[in-house]
Amino acid sequence: MQKKNATVHLLILDPSQNDAESLVSLLRNSGRATRAHRITSEEDLEETLKSGNWDLLLARDLEQEFNADAALAMIRRLDKDIPFILLTEQDSRERTTAIMKTGAQDTVPFGYNELLVLVTNRELAALEERRRRRVLESHLREAEQRCQLLLESSKDAIAYINDGMHIYANQSYMEFLGYDDIDDLICIPVLDTLTPDSQDKYKEFMKTFADKGEDGMTMNCTARRSDDHELNVTMAVSAATYDGEACTQIVLQPEHSDAELEEKLRQISSQDLLTGLFNRQYLMDALAQAIAKAGKDNETGALAYIALDNFLSMKGQVGIAGADLLLGDLAALLKEQTGDDLILARLSDDAFCLMGQPCDEKAMAAVAERTRKAIEDHLFDINGRTIQLTVSIGVAAITENSPKAEELMARAHTASSEVRKQEGHAQGNGVLVYNPADYETLDENNSVEAILKALENNRFRLLFQPIINLRGEGEEHYEAFVRMLDKDNEEVSPYDFLPPMGPSDTAIKIDRWVILQTIKQLSSHRSRGHDTRLFLNITAETLQDKTFTPWLSVALKAARLPGDSLVFQIREGDANNYMKQAKDFAKAVHELHCKVSIAQFGCALNPFNTLKHIDTDYVKIDGSFTEEIQKSDSAKEQVNEMVKSLQSAGKLTIIPLVENASVLATLWQAGVNYIQGYYLQAPVPEMNYDFGDS
């Protein structure tokens, strides 16, 4: 699957170019693709803010002509939603309080790199949520407008009430009750539209609705029209909002004799026919509502996934009919153990589910343990044969931070499956509470350990993506990517598992494994008549490894592979952080006739400075430019100028992330040499692209 990393557009206010570069490198090394601009004056910031979209501003708290406080004041004046983080020279509570009162998000002492990365990630995540909320609010407004139109044109008689008074009614509702003008109905109590006999019934009904809050509750009553005619109606009520205020929606329909039948059909549609319990659809709908309630009212709940151990083996012993009898008896036992306060549903042949709100995972785990023991101790009599059952139960909390219903169910299912991995529970028969920290984060020791284990167990895979000459000269170039199979056999990048600051020897091991394997595959591929070159990405750790080029020389000779078949690709951020080492590296691999490429070019504050010091053959422009040239003429101009400058310096240019044909004409006109992206081919295990067709 293609991985999309949104580029962070970063503003830096720092009098030191070197310190600003170090901040860019810090974010890039933490896994953030970063494009940066260093602010040089008040006019520069104002023009920059007005001409582009920015995600973050890092400001040094130093004496300078245009200082941090002035920059923050300008962001507030222009009403820009840009997180502002002040990098202080010393930890001062008073300074932190003062700057946050004026609108900054946080302060971090300069040099506290790990803390800065954490704060940055937090603020970027919050910014993304705010942007998503604004989009959703826009969609909501549009939906409300469409809803209003639908209400006006609906044939159903619909009204909104607040504190028992009408605040809105559509044309059908007014006609139903005999009113000509909305002004005649507004502020008339609902009670005045009912007969005296129905008024007490209505009060009791609305009290029940307020307590239960179940949308779609209905009541049969008698309405009184404005001309005093009486109608037998069914009133349905639901929670709603009108003009942003909470209210109640009522729908009036002529009373039907089949209301009882409709209720029975509704019950049947939510019921498991074999056990009489709720079915999966009902449970998933209820779970979605519980998650929404937890988010809205901060009311926690809990979910238990009850899996039958060795169900298929048992089914083989008693047959299908016997299994049905067993499930019926088990459902009765579960109902007896769990009571009426919890929702009990059958999910599948061998799984049941229990949900409660309000509840917490500890209380649910206690219920689960009681249920587990009752099932273990119970002797099921199936056609004169005694059957014993055990269950593995996984419990997951429902909180305001819970994911969607399907993902939350997966958490409980995961915990249920993990029971068998617990000591003494190889056959199941246990209860386990899902802890997100155990499954959704990796500490540094575990992540490095996972990489080393994958290397030992041959769980690394190579993928190749073609790089096409846009001038149609038929050269064969590929970029090699490495993927690691994780514990779930999903493909991930092993580099993502490395802690931000190393350890260096693990990165070097990955690089060398990739290079060795690609050399072997490339040697075999070229022996079949292909004149192919491979781009190989290397880490900053390999740049600093003085033993690398002697090792590479031996590897090339052993594979009888010419050096010019390999292009070593260095990230721009690494090249700037380790300029001397990168310069020496480029010189050493050139002596072996290998080529050098700079990737993610254009993100540094002064990108062309890198090329003054490091002898490179290819330059791959950062993928964020590919996205921007499709949206902005100024971005097209910027790329055109960049390509011209690079080519005049004798560099071959590559544009990655080409996802559609529409961008090709722009790249052709810009004079780009090579393109790469999913439009041509996704990374695949074989070097099988037909370059003759490109």
Side-chain angles (χ1 to χ4, degrees), residues 585-605:
F585 176 90
K587 181 181 178 183
V589 296
H590 275 139
E591 288 174 0
L592 296 175
H593 306 292
C594 300
K595 305 292 185 182
V596 175
S597 172
I598 294 287
Q600 299 176 345
F601 183 82
C603 293
L605 296 173

Side-chain angles (χ1 to χ4, degrees), residues 141-260:
R141 283 193 297 273
E142 293 171 5
E144 286 176 337
Q145 289 169 357
R146 288 195 298 271
C147 183
Q148 186 68 26
L149 290 172
L150 288 171
L151 283 171
E152 294 293 348
S153 60
S154 176
K155 292 181 179 179
D156 288 332
I158 303 171
Y160 288 160
I161 62 172
N162 192 359
D163 290 333
M165 309 290 282
H166 289 91
I167 57 173
Y168 166 82
N170 68 357
Q171 190 64 34
S172 297
Y173 187 92
M174 289 191 294
E175 289 174 0
F176 194 84
L177 292 180
Y179 289 89
D180 296 324
D181 193 330
I182 186 68
D183 292 333
D184 295 335
L185 187 64
I186 292 299
C187 294
I188 287 182
V190 177
L191 285 173
D192 288 358
T193 66
L194 300 174
T195 61
D197 290 343
S198 294
Q199 290 179 359
D200 290 338
K201 191 176 178 183
Y202 168 78
K203 291 176 184 175
E204 191 62 34
F205 173 69
M206 293 305 291
K207 184 176 182 298
T208 304
F209 173 68
D211 291 340
K212 290 188 175 181
E214 292 179 7
D215 286 348
M217 289 177 61
T218 60
M219 174 189 80
N220 293 329
C221 58
T222 304
R224 186 173 59 190
R225 287 167 46 91
S226 62
D227 56 9
D228 290 333
H229 278 84
E230 295 182 359
L231 295 170
N232 290 329
V233 298
T234 298
M235 179 188 290
V237 294
S238 302
T241 58
Y242 187 73
D243 280 346
E245 297 293 329
C247 62
T248 302
Q249 181 192 76
I250 61 174
V251 180
L252 297 183
Q253 291 179 327
E255 186 177 330
H256 294 298
S257 59
D258 59 356
E260 189 177 340

Side-chain angles (χ1 to χ4, degrees), residues 92-108:
S92 166
R93 185 182 301 175
E94 291 76 14
R95 179 60 171 146
T96 297
T97 303
I99 197 78
M100 289 182 73
K101 278 184 176 179
T102 57
Q105 272 60 44
D106 210 339
T107 63
V108 177

Side-chain angles (χ1 to χ4, degrees), residues 424-536:
H425 292 277
Q427 297 302 313
N429 194 22
V431 176
L432 185 66
V433 176
Y434 181 92
N435 180 358
D438 292 340
Y439 300 94
E440 296 164 22
T441 60
L442 282 165
D443 62 39
E444 295 183 10
N445 295 329
N446 287 342
S447 57
V448 173
E449 199 175 295
I451 294 171
L452 297 177
K453 194 172 286 187
L455 276 171
E456 289 172 12
N457 298 335
N458 194 29
R459 292 173 66 82
F460 274 46
R461 301 286 182 269
L462 285 176
L463 299 176
F464 302 94
Q465 186 175 41
I467 297 175
I468 310 300
N469 191 316
L470 198 54
R471 307 292 149 183
E473 295 176 17
E475 302 164 295
E476 293 192 12
H477 291 78
Y478 289 94
E479 181 171 352
F481 299 93
V482 61
R483 295 292 179 264
M484 181 178 87
L485 296 178
D486 66 10
K487 59 186 175 71
D488 298 318
N489 280 328
E490 297 287 334
E491 287 189 350
V492 295
S493 170
Y495 296 108
D496 291 344
F497 276 57
L498 288 172
M501 305 305 171
S504 57
D505 55 344
T506 308
I508 290 170
K509 283 180 182 177
I510 299 173
D511 284 353
R512 291 203 180 188
W513 184 91
V514 173
I515 292 165
L516 209 53
Q517 297 304 316
T518 49
I519 283 176
K520 288 178 185 176
Q521 288 201 38
L522 183 58
S523 179
S524 172
H525 187 69
R526 286 171 69 101
S527 70
R528 295 193 288 274
H530 298 276
D531 186 22
T532 304
R533 283 182 176 169
L534 269 182
F535 282 70
L536 300 172

Side-chain angles (χ1 to χ4, degrees), residues 326-513:
L326 180 64
L327 289 169
D329 290 350
L330 177 60
L333 179 59
L334 287 170
K335 208 163 188 178
E336 181 185 312
Q337 291 297 319
T338 55
D340 297 330
D341 295 337
L342 303 175
I343 294 176
L344 178 61
R346 182 182 176 217
L347 297 184
S348 63
D349 274 356
D350 60 348
F352 293 80
C353 208
L354 197 59
M355 192 192 83
Q357 190 181 42
C359 185
D360 60 32
E361 69 270 28
K362 287 184 180 178
M364 182 62 81
V367 172
E369 176 56 31
R370 186 178 71 234
T371 304
R372 181 206 64 77
K373 189 166 190 324
I375 293 172
E376 181 186 24
D377 293 343
H378 191 81
L379 300 177
F380 294 90
D381 185 5
I382 306 300
N383 297 328
R385 185 171 184 173
T386 301
I387 299 293
Q388 288 184 281
L389 272 183
T390 61
V391 291
S392 297
I393 306 177
V395 176
I398 303 170
T399 69
E400 76 281 1
N401 201 36
S402 288
K404 292 179 181 177
E406 292 79 6
E407 294 177 49
L408 190 65
M409 179 64 73
R411 287 183 172 186
H413 179 265
T414 297
S416 171
S417 302
E418 291 286 315
V419 168
R420 290 174 177 269
K421 298 179 183 178
Q422 305 296 308
E423 188 175 343
H425 292 277
Q427 297 302 313
N429 194 22
V431 176
L432 185 66
V433 176
Y434 181 92
N435 180 358
D438 292 340
Y439 300 94
E440 296 164 22
T441 60
L442 282 165
D443 62 39
E444 295 183 10
N445 295 329
N446 287 342
S447 57
V448 173
E449 199 175 295
I451 294 171
L452 297 177
K453 194 172 286 187
L455 276 171
E456 289 172 12
N457 298 335
N458 194 29
R459 292 173 66 82
F460 274 46
R461 301 286 182 269
L462 285 176
L463 299 176
F464 302 94
Q465 186 175 41
I467 297 175
I468 310 300
N469 191 316
L470 198 54
R471 307 292 149 183
E473 295 176 17
E475 302 164 295
E476 293 192 12
H477 291 78
Y478 289 94
E479 181 171 352
F481 299 93
V482 61
R483 295 292 179 264
M484 181 178 87
L485 296 178
D486 66 10
K487 59 186 175 71
D488 298 318
N489 280 328
E490 297 287 334
E491 287 189 350
V492 295
S493 170
Y495 296 108
D496 291 344
F497 276 57
L498 288 172
M501 305 305 171
S504 57
D505 55 344
T506 308
I508 290 170
K509 283 180 182 177
I510 299 173
D511 284 353
R512 291 203 180 188
W513 184 91

